[in-house]
């Protein structure tokens, strides 16, 4: 009998711990919206700069800026890696699920958890190696068309996206652990 009471007590404690941690979800929502907004602004800037460059090539009284191609490519790299972090939060990343229906549920849970750990490791690598490249190679070079602007800004999106991926992946891992530890009231 004492074992049953202990199990109920542990379940209540775990439930209250998860409810407390759930209170930071609005911060994740704010971060997600901020990164999404940054991606939208970068897309608008990309379109505006590209349009201006195209007009500059065909309309005689508009200058064709030499810097447009490098800036557009840099902004696109920011969008690409930051949107990958957004995909982690939404669960919209590439996944092979052809064998999921044939595998036992515990194996699927393990494989999902393993995949989450691997993405977390990738985020750490992106932060560390990306920062080394940004402060190393990037800080020593400049853009060809803009000699006063450091290439640091071209390498910066990798560690930035690594931080966003790390944050969103920690949330994903927390959600998986919560699903495993706390039985829903419906069951």
């Amino acid at each position: 009998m004492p074992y049953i009471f202990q199990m109920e007590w542990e379940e209540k404690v775990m439930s209250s711990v998860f409810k407390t941690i759930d209170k930071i979800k609005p911060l994740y929502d704010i971060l997600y919206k901020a990164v999404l907004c940054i991606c939208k602004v970068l897309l608008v800037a990309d379109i505006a700069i590209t349009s201006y460059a195209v007009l500059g090539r065909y309309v005689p009284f508009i200058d064709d800026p030499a810097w447009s191609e490098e800036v557009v490519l840099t902004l696109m790299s920011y969008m690409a890696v930051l949107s990958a972090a957004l995909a982690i939060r939404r669960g919209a990343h590439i996944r092979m699920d052809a064998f999921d229906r044939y595998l036992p549920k515990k194996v699927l849970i393990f494989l999902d958890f393993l995949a989450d750990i691997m993405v977390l490791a990738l985020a750490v690598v992106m932060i560390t190696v990306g920062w080394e490249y940004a402060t190393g190679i990037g800080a020593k070079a400049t853009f060809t068309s803009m000699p006063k602007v450091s290439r640091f800004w071209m390498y910066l999106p990798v560690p930035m996206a690594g931080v966003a991926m790390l944050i969103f992946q920690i949330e994903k891992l927390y959600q998986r652990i919560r699903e495993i530890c706390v039985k829903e009231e419906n069951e």
Side-chain angles (χ1 to χ4, degrees), residues 68-154:
S68 64
E69 184 178 347
E70 287 180 320
V71 171
V72 166
L73 291 173
T74 300
L75 295 179
M76 286 176 78
S77 66
Y78 277 87
M79 282 188 301
V81 292
L82 288 174
S83 61
L86 295 175
I88 286 174
R89 175 111 196 278
R90 286 191 334 262
H93 51 281
I94 297 172
R95 175 189 161 94
M96 292 291 291
D97 60 359
F99 298 111
D100 285 5
R101 62 179 161 228
Y102 303 113
L103 296 173
K105 187 171 178 145
K106 288 185 180 183
V107 172
L108 279 176
I109 291 170
F110 171 76
L111 291 175
D112 287 341
F113 195 75
L114 181 63
D116 288 341
I117 295 295
M118 294 302 198
V119 172
L120 194 70
L122 173 65
V124 170
V125 168
M126 286 176 68
I127 293 168
T128 56
V129 176
W131 185 253
E132 286 175 17
Y133 272 82
T135 57
I137 295 170
K140 294 175 184 163
T142 60
F143 285 99
T144 307
S145 61
M146 300 175 294
K148 293 183 180 180
V149 179
S150 170
R151 283 214 183 234
F152 167 82
W153 300 107
M154 188 176 86

Side-chain angles (χ1 to χ4, degrees), residues 95 109 112-113 116 171-181:
R95 175 189 161 94
I109 291 170
D112 287 341
F113 195 75
D116 288 341
E171 180 189 27
K172 229 11 165 190
L173 278 169
Y174 163 73
Q175 289 170 349
R176 280 210 204 283
I177 292 168
R178 188 178 197 286
E179 287 173 8
I180 293 168
C181 293

Side-chain angles (χ1 to χ4, degrees), residues 16-28:
S16 73
V17 166
F18 286 122
K19 284 180 184 175
T20 304
I21 295 173
D22 284 343
K23 291 179 181 175
I24 65 169
K25 186 183 180 300
L27 293 175
Y28 281 104

